[in-house]
Amino acid sequence: MGLKAQSPPPAHAFAREGRPAEEVGDSMKTRIAHLLQRAMGLDVSTIGRTGLEHAVRSRMNACSLSDSESYWNLLQASHAELQELIEAIVVSETWFFRDREAFDALGRMVMEEWLPAHFNQALRVVSLPCSTGEEPYSIAMALLDAGLPANRFKIDAIDISARALAVAGAAVYGGNSFRDRGLDFRDRYFRPVKKGHELTAAVRKRVHFRQGNLLAADLTTGGDCYDIIFCRNVLIYFDAPIQERVAKTLRDWLAPDGILFVGPSETFLIRSCGFVSANYSHAFAYRKEAAPAREAQEVPAAPRRKSKPAPLPAKVVASPVVFPQPKEPAADAEAAVPPAAALESATRLADAGHLKEAAKACEAYLRADAASVAAYYLLGLVRGAMGEDRRAADAYRKVIYLEPDHLGALTHLALLEQKSGDAAAARRLQSRVRRLDR
Ligand SMILES: C[S@@+](CC[C@H](N)C(=O)[O-])C[C@H]1O[C@@H](n2cnc3c(N)ncnc32)[C@H](O)[C@@H]1O
């Protein structure tokens, strides 16, 4: 999902005959928002009600219906139309080797840790949601590049969008799918065709696509647990109860020594759902929290202190997360510690879920160094995780003021602007992100 639903409906979407779709009233938007939340988990506030309106009107025009009540009746009666609306509201924004460090970490973890411990077994991986296929195919290429034989892994790839899956199946990609700077993989695994680049059959054969809804009770692993789960850039579009529900599914699906990869903006929420960092820098990789601590998590409102992850082989324990146990964290952060240590301390507080204290530590740091991009960015992430959107947006604006090309801050601020209903500001930021990406 992403920002597509904010764009005006394309001209061809207007009714062939009759009047174009009328405005969709607030109460109808609320009804449709609830329906979408039940059907696919979407929290409409994350894409904005204007986005919802555009998607609904585009579907009304496609169905030659001008009044929203008739469209509502159709939605109730037709599963196919509900799927069309879902197709109109999701954006399958993705590209090859998105957040490259995740794929580097995957290769290292599999070769150094998983392979020596699993003789004769095949690694089970799932990419959920897989969108148009770039993510699961990147996983396959990363594993082959790391040296894992093709018959030692199997990748499932699942998405709710039939249209995205059709693109994935065709495996022909244009320039937008190749946004990562290093493109040597394209020379090795693709051949140029008229419409872009076609992926070689050797990689395609490693990935098995199927349509599925993350929220569906009948969605199963189709066998054993997964050793690796990629669930990136979808949880941010769900509200807290649905995030927790999906996190439970992910915990059930993940092998005890398995690794879950999430998107950069999803790290805070996954930490509060029974996962702990797997200690791969910038890979956004998590392990299941040890069982007793997970039980402790059942007490909803109490701030939890994370337990340490299960012991890992020495080679992956290079920089273990040391969870702080601050009695007076704010004082700790503001006292005589040197600025760099204060920022590290703020990061550790955030990692441990002590968000208030982390925010205070960032602010203390900024009093000493008012031009620190890193501190403002961390403050933005922390305020965002605390649900303080306006203060998070202020922090991201400062980052962008200090470093106009800061991709993370631009992306987060775009989401926040969209959430607050300023679609134009969100679009401006998104186009900056796209320009930078290119
Ligand atoms: C932004 S893409 C993320 C793709 C990829 N994981 C990545 O990070 O590049 C989000 C995808 O989530 C899918 N999606 C949204 N809700 C879903 C649900 N309830 N079940 C399965 N897929 C869903 C959309 O169809 C879309 O393809």
Side-chain angles (χ1 to χ4, degrees):
M1 264 178 295
L3 305 177
K4 186 177 86 177
Q6 289 288 343
S7 320
H12 71 261
F14 282 90
R16 286 172 294 278
E17 297 164 347
R19 292 172 294 135
E22 66 185 22
E23 258 184 42
V24 183
D26 272 348
S27 75
M28 179 58 76
K29 272 188 227 153
T30 304
R31 271 194 264 169
I32 296 179
H34 283 149
L35 180 66
L36 283 170
Q37 185 161 42
R38 280 199 307 279
M40 61 180 294
L42 175 68
D43 174 359
V44 164
S45 73
T46 63
I47 61 154
R49 286 169 83 87
T50 342
L52 175 68
E53 163 125 28
H54 282 142
V56 171
R57 288 177 76 181
S58 137
R59 284 309 308 156
M60 286 167 65
N61 285 318
C63 299
S64 303
L65 291 173
S66 60
D67 73 296
S68 55
E69 200 61 49
S70 310
Y71 184 66
W72 172 251
N73 291 337
L74 175 63
L75 266 183
Q76 301 288 300
S78 161
H79 183 78
E81 182 49 38
L82 178 58
Q83 180 63 29
E84 288 296 339
L85 181 61
I86 289 173
E87 299 280 356
I89 208 125
V90 297
V91 168
S92 310
E93 180 78 359
T94 184
W95 58 93
F96 287 108
F97 291 99
R98 179 178 194 172
D99 297 313
R100 163 80 70 163
E101 288 88 347
F103 299 93
D104 295 342
L106 169 72
R108 283 203 311 279
M109 178 267 173
V110 167
M111 299 309 286
E112 293 172 9
E113 212 182 307
W114 181 87
L115 193 60
H118 297 81
F119 306 104
N120 299 325
Q121 282 171 27
L123 179 83
R124 294 205 74 215
V125 187
V126 66
S127 160
L128 167 63
C130 64
S131 185
T132 38
E134 287 88 332
E135 182 176 273
Y137 288 142
S138 300
I139 296 171
M141 288 184 274
L143 291 173
L144 291 171
D145 285 350
L148 192 67
N151 62 358
R152 292 294 305 272
F153 67 91
K154 184 177 167 244
I155 302 170
D156 289 333
I158 304 172
D159 201 282
I160 200 169
S161 164
R163 251 172 243 164
L165 291 170
V167 175
V172 174
Y173 294 97
N176 234 0
S177 300
F178 299 97
R179 301 187 210 173
D180 194 67
R181 277 180 209 101
L183 285 181
D184 59 304
F185 70 91
R186 193 169 69 184
D187 301 331
R188 289 183 286 115
Y189 291 111
F190 291 79
R191 70 180 180 100
V193 292
K194 215 168 158 196
K195 289 188 173 165
H197 284 81
E198 185 181 51
L199 185 62
T200 170
V203 176
R204 291 166 66 170
K205 273 200 289 200
R206 306 318 315 157
V207 183
H208 307 271
F209 290 98
R210 63 184 153 112
Q211 191 177 8
N213 183 343
L214 257 169
L215 302 191
D218 59 355
L219 188 70
T220 66
T221 63
D224 298 334
C225 287
Y226 287 106
D227 302 295
I228 305 286
I229 297 180
F230 272 66
C231 183
R232 306 193 306 167
N233 303 305
V234 72
L235 292 171
I236 39 169
Y237 297 101
F238 299 154
D239 64 12
I242 293 185
Q243 285 165 351
E244 274 164 33
R245 187 169 141 196
V246 172
K248 185 183 177 314
T249 304
L250 299 175
R251 281 200 307 270
D252 292 347
W253 281 23
L254 192 63
D257 56 351
I259 299 261
L260 165 70
F261 290 90
V262 296
S265 318
E266 293 159 336
T267 56
F268 281 111
L269 63 94
I270 208 69
R271 277 187 194 120
S272 61
C273 288
F275 289 90
V276 291
S277 169
N279 296 330
Y280 287 97
S281 176
H282 294 105
F284 317 111
Y286 290 84
R287 292 178 191 277
K288 285 202 266 196
E289 199 169 37
R294 198 156 69 233
E295 276 152 31
Q297 190 206 349
E298 307 294 329
V299 184
R304 282 179 317 117
R305 181 167 293 150
K306 298 283 197 290
S307 67
K308 285 191 182 180
L312 306 177
K315 55 193 160 220
V316 295
V317 195
S319 54
V321 172
V322 180
F323 295 114
Q325 316 226 333
K327 286 211 169 65
E328 289 169 313
D332 194 31
E334 263 189 272
V337 280
L343 194 55
E344 276 169 31
S345 153
T347 309
R348 285 200 301 269
L349 287 165
D351 276 349
H354 299 292
L355 298 178
K356 255 189 183 161
E357 291 80 5
K360 278 188 186 163
C362 288
E363 283 158 358
Y365 186 92
L366 286 163
R367 278 196 287 280
D369 176 3
S372 168
V373 168
Y376 275 121
Y377 186 56
L378 180 60
L379 184 61
L381 293 173
V382 170
R383 292 280 180 216
M386 291 166 81
E388 296 180 358
D389 288 357
R390 280 180 58 183
R391 298 175 85 179
D394 286 345
Y396 292 134
R397 279 191 201 101
K398 298 230 171 72
V399 174
I400 295 163
Y401 173 76
L402 293 165
E403 191 181 310
D405 289 351
H406 195 291
L407 261 180
L410 287 165
T411 309
H412 281 289
L413 188 58
L415 276 170
L416 289 172
E417 295 287 21
Q418 181 149 15
K419 197 170 165 188
S420 74
D422 193 342
R427 270 198 295 274
R428 276 196 302 276
L429 289 160
Q430 275 298 320
S431 66
R432 277 172 75 178
V433 170
R434 274 194 293 275
R435 271 201 305 276
L436 287 170
D437 265 342
R438 272 200 289 275

